[in-house]
Amino acid sequence: MTSIKRMKGLSLARPIIYGNSATPLNGKKGGDADHTHRWTISVRGVNNEDISYFIRKVAFKLHDTYDNPNRVIEKPPFEVTETGWGEFDIIIKIHFNPISGEKPLTLYHHLKLHPYEEDGLGNPWPKQKPVTSYSYDEIVFNEPIDSFYAILQENTTSNVPLKKTPHHQFSLQAEQEEVERLDKALKTTAQEIVRYREKCKRLEAELATK
Ligand code: SLL
């Protein structure tokens, strides 16, 4: 029997994008008469590249109102397209290449059908524009088994681009902008807390004199 050797002190990450897009059926024939949307849930590479060298299969657990709610996708694209009427949490279980010896990874995604918002320019959401909800994540393999490490090294998956493009929701630039937005929000919150504390003090002092 060959012995399992781990790459001590090494870790490698592979990025994935998971989530859903949805379009309204607008009365068009979908599935059942009460279905309002067609949607697709997927797990994919940043540039839609083949990720099957490290992901063996993906199990999507849908709401129990669906027939066969456990959908196991054995080859890429790792996605499920359905029609339906409601939003719910999808459990995504990622099974890795068996060579890796890694335990499956479970992710959760809230299926989004409705925009609940304007298009960002203050206009109502365009009727036929797909609604999307995607998350970016990096799967980290700590001290991988040597044979799996070799596979990871042979198949480099592209990383997020530096700059934002219409085709890339996730980029280093977008990440940086989010960090700046969060910093600003933290500062504003801290200022508001100071302002409210002072107001409380003022009001308490006012009460004490009455
Ligand atoms: C809700 N808590 O009430 C959620 C459940 C379930 C959505 C949403 C089933 C489609 C079918 C479907 O769309 N379920 O009948 O096959 O909004």
Side-chain angles (χ1 to χ4, degrees):
M1 210 181 100
T2 50
S3 66
I4 289 174
K5 197 175 141 257
R6 290 201 167 262
M7 305 300 288
K8 282 265 170 271
L10 273 177
S11 69
L12 273 183
R14 285 292 175 267
I16 54 160
I17 289 176
Y18 64 96
N20 82 280
S21 71
T23 38
L25 289 169
N26 288 334
K28 271 185 262 136
K29 193 99 190 80
D32 297 2
D34 58 350
H35 288 190
T36 55
H37 289 77
R38 170 168 283 108
W39 52 259
T40 300
I41 173 95
S42 60
V43 175
R44 56 184 175 82
V46 169
N47 281 316
N48 269 327
E49 62 270 64
D50 190 356
I51 48 174
S52 61
Y53 67 90
F54 71 101
I55 294 182
R56 165 72 191 80
K57 62 178 179 185
V58 178
F60 297 94
K61 168 72 177 62
L62 310 184
H63 194 265
D64 286 332
T65 43
Y66 280 93
D67 286 342
N68 315 312
N70 254 315
R71 308 288 172 89
V72 182
I73 309 301
E74 303 262 358
K75 51 181 194 297
F78 297 113
E79 60 181 39
V80 171
T81 298
E82 263 295 354
T83 61
W85 49 263
E87 301 186 338
F88 57 92
D89 286 330
I90 297 180
I91 306 172
I92 304 171
K93 199 165 178 184
I94 299 180
H95 297 260
F96 298 106
N97 182 338
I99 270 189
S100 70
E102 298 282 337
K103 287 197 207 80
L105 172 72
T106 303
L107 302 170
Y108 298 86
H109 173 72
H110 188 76
L111 180 75
K112 185 173 166 184
L113 303 183
H114 307 287
Y116 302 118
E117 64 198 50
E118 295 161 339
D119 66 350
L121 302 167
N123 310 307
W125 192 266
K127 260 208 158 73
Q128 273 315 312
K129 188 174 168 191
V131 169
T132 57
S133 170
Y134 287 106
S135 302
Y136 170 86
D137 214 335
E138 287 172 8
I139 303 177
V140 180
F141 300 104
N142 285 318
E143 305 198 335
I145 289 174
D146 56 356
S147 45
F148 184 52
Y149 177 79
I151 291 174
L152 290 174
Q153 288 287 54
E154 273 163 32
N155 296 274
T156 45
T157 306
S158 46
N159 288 314
V160 288
L162 222 51
K163 296 265 174 215
K164 284 201 279 198
T165 76
H167 304 293
H168 291 94
Q169 180 192 349
F170 302 101
S171 62
L172 292 177
Q173 183 190 3
E175 187 180 10
Q176 186 54 34
E177 284 172 7
E178 190 167 345
V179 168
E180 282 161 17
R181 267 201 308 280
L182 287 170
D183 270 353
K184 211 166 141 204
L186 280 174
K187 275 199 198 103
T188 312
T189 313
Q191 281 165 1
E192 286 293 289
I193 291 173
V194 171
R195 211 165 63 80
Y196 276 105
R197 284 215 176 107
E198 278 164 5
K199 191 174 170 189
C200 281
K201 259 195 224 144
R202 257 201 335 273
L203 291 173
E204 273 165 13
E206 217 177 287
L207 269 177
T209 61
K210 287 210 168 135

